[in-house]
Amino acid sequence: MNDSAVGTSSKEASKQALPRLADVAAHAGVSSKTVSRVVNNEANVRPQVRAQVLRSVAALGYRPNAAARALVTQRTHQIGLVATASSLYGPTAGLFSLEQAAWKAGYGLTLTTVREASEAQLEEAIHYLMVRGVEGVIVSGVAGILHLETSALAEMPLVSTSPITTESVKHVLVDSDQVAGTRAAVRHLYDSGHRRIAHLAGPLSWDSAARRRDGWLLELEDLGLHPGPLLVGDWSPKSGYEAALTLDPTTATAIVVANDHMAMGAIRAFTEQGLHIPDDMSVAGFDDVPEAAYQMVPLTTVRQNFSSVAERSVRELIHLIEGRAAEKTSIHLPTELIVRASTAPCLGNPR
């Protein structure tokens, strides 16, 4: 027998050795249909039977053939994710949480990123995912309000974490309540005696930055206060530092900052100017990044629950994929104010 024949024989033997669904069924002592239900993550299987099948799957090293399963079921169980390329904490935490939520729901995640959140790039990215057989798309971390009017998207289930106008009849917005979170920070400062409250916004082309700015304005209006100075950064600690250097400390006793990293930069700038945090200037951030609690002055901040947003996004998308009508087309999940040492009662007469 020549070498090529031996190679061919070895390949065929290896191929024959791969466990089949029927092998798993025999090993577990159940029907092939039951195994199929388990590997397809269907609900109508008793827990003990599911565990028994999964033990056999692990013991035999069985791997479902995704392509064959898709041909039979007309389902790929793949979700597409479009995100803006970014190293910022919020978008990055959101991506990780979405991947985990999709996995828990029995779906794979196909990711594509766009350099800028333009309508053209976003539509191109969604078409890229559609060609690869995704059953629905999540758009995450898009900076501004975009308008998608491509008729090809009309039947594509779509969930976004920023406002998008589209022809899609299957579209749900899921996000943290940016406005309410900022209002809670302003109210906390007001209740601490502050009456001149400034705001350091993120880039206002971002919907999240604009909504946090709006929350600051709305709460001040309801409290009957004139807005303190409005500063603008780009989400980075450096921009927070540079913006804070321009703030006249006689015009405000407190500042609400649109994210924690800018707040950290601002605190350094205030400290270098001889201000004591929080006695001379109270500072509140937004996001509750992991390092916020471990600064020299632990940071008061608004906590977003990225896991909750991701899980709700995936759940709403699966509902749309399965043909269930959305109960709401706009869902804003609650945030939580975390009070730490960077805010304190206003000393003396409010400036």
Side-chain angles (χ1 to χ4, degrees):
M1 184 180 291
N2 61 36
D3 290 343
S4 63
V6 171
T8 302
S9 176
S10 297
K11 289 178 182 178
E12 289 176 352
S14 176
K15 189 173 182 180
Q16 288 293 327
L18 292 174
R20 301 168 301 167
L21 187 141
D23 298 326
V24 176
H27 188 277
V30 299
S31 68
S32 294
K33 188 173 183 179
T34 297
V35 176
S36 177
R37 286 172 176 167
V38 172
V39 299
N40 284 299
N41 202 31
E42 295 180 17
N44 53 340
V45 180
R46 296 196 309 274
Q48 59 268 35
V49 173
R50 185 182 299 276
Q52 182 178 336
V53 170
L54 291 176
R55 284 194 294 270
S56 294
V57 166
L60 297 177
Y62 173 71
R63 295 291 182 269
N65 187 323
R69 183 172 62 187
L71 285 173
V72 173
T73 64
Q74 298 297 301
R75 297 286 306 277
T76 63
H77 282 84
Q78 287 291 314
I79 290 173
L81 175 60
V82 182
T84 304
S86 173
S87 60
L88 294 171
Y89 172 77
T92 302
L95 291 184
F96 177 78
S97 297
L98 283 166
E99 181 184 35
Q100 294 296 304
W103 181 82
K104 288 179 183 178
Y107 281 73
L109 195 69
T110 302
L111 168 67
T112 185
T113 60
V114 293
R115 290 186 178 277
E116 59 182 44
S118 65
E119 282 88 352
Q121 285 202 19
L122 191 54
E123 288 182 8
E124 181 180 350
I126 293 174
H127 282 297
Y128 169 88
L129 294 170
M130 291 171 66
V131 168
R132 279 149 184 79
V134 301
E135 298 186 45
V137 174
I138 296 174
V139 179
S140 176
V142 173
I145 300 175
L146 300 180
H147 308 278
L148 302 180
E149 304 300 341
T150 303
S151 59
L153 303 180
E155 295 302 318
M156 172 58 67
L158 181 68
V159 168
S160 63
T161 59
S162 295
I164 293 176
T165 62
T166 176
E167 292 182 3
S168 175
V169 294
K170 302 175 181 179
H171 176 212
V172 176
L173 167 70
V174 180
D175 195 13
S176 300
D177 196 331
Q178 314 283 344
V179 171
T182 311
R183 293 188 71 149
V186 174
R187 172 67 69 165
H188 162 67
L189 292 168
Y190 176 85
D191 290 343
S192 298
H194 297 277
R195 296 297 181 267
R196 293 291 293 166
I197 303 171
H199 182 52
L200 172 48
L204 293 173
S205 59
W206 287 61
D207 175 71
S208 54
R211 283 189 284 159
R212 292 172 199 180
R213 185 272 319 273
D214 292 347
W216 168 69
L217 288 172
L218 287 168
E219 189 64 21
L220 290 177
E221 182 180 355
D222 282 358
L223 294 171
L225 300 180
H226 295 293
L230 172 63
L231 312 173
V232 179
D234 65 7
W235 300 123
S236 70
K238 179 182 178 182
S239 72
Y241 173 84
E242 291 174 346
L245 289 177
T246 70
L247 179 66
D248 180 350
T250 67
T251 63
T253 62
I255 185 168
V256 175
V257 186
N259 79 336
D260 290 347
H261 287 142
M262 288 196 299
M264 293 172 191
I267 286 174
R268 176 177 172 180
F270 292 139
T271 302
E272 288 181 357
Q273 294 177 84
L275 299 177
H276 184 268
I277 308 298
D279 294 338
D280 299 320
M281 181 71 69
S282 283
V283 181
F286 203 108
D287 280 338
D288 195 27
V289 299
E291 58 268 34
Y294 300 98
Q295 299 298 295
M296 290 297 292
V297 182
L299 184 63
T300 292
T301 186
V302 177
R303 176 181 293 166
Q304 297 193 80
N305 191 326
F306 293 105
S307 294
S308 293
V309 172
E311 289 171 4
R312 185 62 179 270
S313 296
V314 169
R315 188 168 80 215
E316 292 297 327
L317 186 62
I318 292 173
H319 286 175
L320 297 178
I321 290 171
E322 294 176 346
R324 287 182 270 177
E327 295 181 5
K328 297 180 180 179
T329 57
S330 183
I331 299 166
H332 294 96
L333 300 179
T335 56
E336 180 185 3
L337 179 67
I338 307 298
V339 178
R340 299 192 180 105
S342 67
T343 56
C346 183
L347 300 178
N349 295 321
R351 293 195 292 269

